[in-house]
Amino acid sequence: DQIVAPLESRSMRFRYGLVSEDDMKTRLRTICSLESVKFTPEALQAIVSTSAGDMRKCINILQAAAGRGSLVTEELVYECTGIPLSVRIEEVLDEMAKCDTIKKAAAALEQWREHTGTILADVVQSAFLFISQRPEHPLFSATIIRVLANIERNLMNGASETLHAKYLSSVIQQETLNKHGLSSEYYMLD
């Protein structure tokens, strides 16, 4: 990935930072106004959240959603991006936390993934967005956020979805027990 010296000496490097949420929303509102696109406030937040500071991605998501309906909604944004709705992610996380074994929690996740057709990488990305934006949620912890980041990185490098789904299930079980003041001796693999 190195640039040859003669070309590099005649070039400039530009490093672009992430765009703030407020700037992204302002720009989206301007585009929607100019293009006569109707939207809900939740849709704009969903676009900004899934774009992760990338303005080009933000505009592409808006364009895709606007092309599919007369009103850009949160549901339409998540449908266009292939990322599960945060409400659905909360449901599956809560269901996994209620299970009394890792095996049952992993089965609940697998059943939900099969029913929705969602790959684990999208579950992990959505869970990260959901949990990191809700510090009041029972599963909010540095451990969960770190584990989600590690799983995402490992999946991008070709790691096993099955193994990482079980790993995520075990961490959710452990964090649930920790929140209730129970030790890990109370939770079982099967």
Side-chain angles (χ1 to χ4, degrees):
D1 291 329
Q2 295 292 327
I3 300 173
V4 292
L7 185 57
E8 186 175 19
S9 68
R10 291 166 180 80
S11 303
M12 291 184 80
R13 286 187 185 206
F14 294 96
R15 297 195 191 273
Y16 297 101
L18 300 177
V19 180
S20 74
E21 285 194 12
D22 289 339
D23 289 343
M24 292 175 91
K25 287 180 183 177
T26 300
R27 186 66 184 146
L28 286 175
R29 285 187 191 98
T30 302
I31 292 169
C32 288
S33 175
L34 292 171
E35 298 291 330
S36 300
V37 173
K38 296 177 184 168
F39 61 90
T40 65
E42 296 82 11
L44 287 190
Q45 183 58 49
I47 292 170
V48 169
S49 295
T50 56
S51 299
D54 183 340
M55 192 67 207
R56 183 174 33 198
K57 186 175 181 180
C58 186
I59 293 170
N60 287 339
I61 293 170
L62 174 63
Q63 183 178 14
R68 297 203 46 201
S70 59
L71 175 67
V72 178
T73 63
E74 180 183 29
E75 293 82 10
L76 190 56
V77 168
Y78 283 111
E79 184 180 314
C80 288
T81 60
I83 298 172
L85 272 164
S86 59
V87 173
R88 304 294 175 253
I89 288 297
E90 183 176 22
E91 289 171 1
V92 74
L93 290 175
D94 289 346
E95 185 176 337
M96 291 170 68
K98 290 176 188 172
C99 293
D100 59 354
T101 66
I102 295 171
K103 191 174 188 177
K104 288 178 184 176
L109 174 60
E110 187 57 33
Q111 182 181 10
W112 183 84
R113 286 179 51 221
E114 285 178 9
H115 176 72
T116 61
T118 307
I119 62 171
L120 186 60
D122 288 341
V123 172
V124 168
Q125 181 182 8
S126 295
F128 179 83
L129 288 172
F130 174 79
I131 291 172
S132 64
Q133 294 173 355
R134 291 167 183 81
E136 73 283 353
H137 193 275
L139 286 176
F140 181 85
S141 74
T143 301
I144 290 281
I145 291 173
R146 186 175 56 250
V147 164
L148 290 169
N150 287 337
I151 290 174
E152 184 174 31
R153 183 191 67 235
N154 292 344
L155 290 173
M156 287 174 51
N157 290 328
S160 164
E161 278 202 5
T162 304
L163 179 66
H164 281 77
K166 289 178 181 175
Y167 175 43
L168 178 59
S169 300
S170 70
V171 172
I172 288 174
Q173 288 279 293
Q174 184 62 52
E175 287 300 304
T176 302
L177 291 171
N178 289 346
K179 295 287 182 182
H180 296 324
L182 300 172
S183 69
S184 59
E185 68 188 51
Y186 290 101
Y187 86 112
M188 304 169 288
L189 189 53
D190 52 32

